[in-house]
Amino acid sequence: MADLVAMVMIDLGPAASRMATLLASVDDEQLGAPTPCPDSTLGALIDHVGTFAKAFVAVAGKDIAATGAPPPPDGANLEEGWRARIAGDLETLTAAWRDQAAWEGMTAAGGIDLPGEIAGLVALDELVVHGWDVAVASGQPYDPPVEEIEGASSFVTSFDPPRDGRLFGPVVPVPGDASPLHQLLGLTGRDPRWTPPT
């Protein structure tokens, strides 16, 4: 991964709150719906968001023993009350990353060692990009602020090949005058024009 310029702390609260709002509006009947993530239903994607939220609390706290590779996401893991559970975990995630220490020193995520400031950008990218995934898969509007998009993009543009789908797929070309969000989506291997199949 290419070097990143040291970043100031970013408040994950708005992105986390936006994600919780999106999840609150997903109907259980939609959990089997396709998403822009290949081979991932909306339920599986939401399970991933919940797992990510808890895991990145451990990443912020440098709890290396709890930052290993996550289990495969599965919509069957979403119990009754999952919306409230994940919303609470997103609030805990926000609080963890409001600690300056989370952004300093080294930590690990998914078994990979990385600086705290980059891990914070990974968390932001997960919230922003998966927020779009959830929104388009469930038919909801989505308009994150440009400063969040720029923060996520600063991480994504540093990600060197191979882009084999484990983190990002191959870049999807977008027009030069595309919006910052669409440029970010293209960099993460998503087609900004994706819509649910009819």
Side-chain angles (χ1 to χ4, degrees):
M1 184 180 297
D3 291 336
L4 286 176
V5 177
M7 298 290 295
V8 297
M9 284 177 57
I10 297 173
D11 184 7
L12 301 184
S17 177
R18 189 180 311 110
M19 175 67 81
T21 299
L22 289 167
L23 298 182
S25 296
V26 173
D27 293 329
D28 284 344
E29 293 75 15
Q30 295 178 298
L31 295 179
T35 72
C37 303
D39 303 320
S40 180
T41 64
L42 184 53
L45 176 60
I46 291 171
D47 182 46
H48 168 73
V49 170
T51 300
F52 146 78
K54 294 186 71 171
F56 267 72
V57 171
V59 172
K62 314 296 195 293
D63 183 4
I64 306 302
T67 61
D74 189 337
N77 296 329
L78 299 178
E79 78 290 6
E80 185 177 354
W82 60 264
R83 295 169 184 81
R85 170 179 60 82
I86 296 177
D89 289 339
L90 288 167
E91 289 180 359
T92 304
L93 173 75
T94 295
W97 286 94
R98 282 179 173 158
D99 184 347
Q100 177 70 48
W103 297 82
E104 299 172 345
M106 294 295 294
T107 187
I112 300 173
D113 295 334
L114 71 172
E117 68 266 23
I118 295 180
L121 292 177
V122 173
L124 177 65
D125 176 71
E126 287 275 318
L127 291 169
V128 172
V129 175
H130 285 322
W132 179 81
D133 293 332
V134 171
V136 296
S138 59
Q140 300 184 62
Y142 190 66
D143 187 25
V146 68
E147 57 267 24
E148 290 181 9
I149 297 169
E150 290 175 347
S153 295
S154 68
F155 162 66
V156 177
T157 55
S158 75
F159 189 80
D160 296 329
R163 285 171 164 264
D164 55 10
R166 285 180 293 179
L167 185 55
F168 299 126
V171 172
V172 174
V174 299
D177 59 353
S179 70
L181 176 59
H182 284 188
Q183 292 179 33
L184 171 62
L185 295 172
L187 288 171
T188 62
R190 288 160 171 79
D191 185 348
R193 300 165 298 178
W194 187 92
T195 57
T198 56

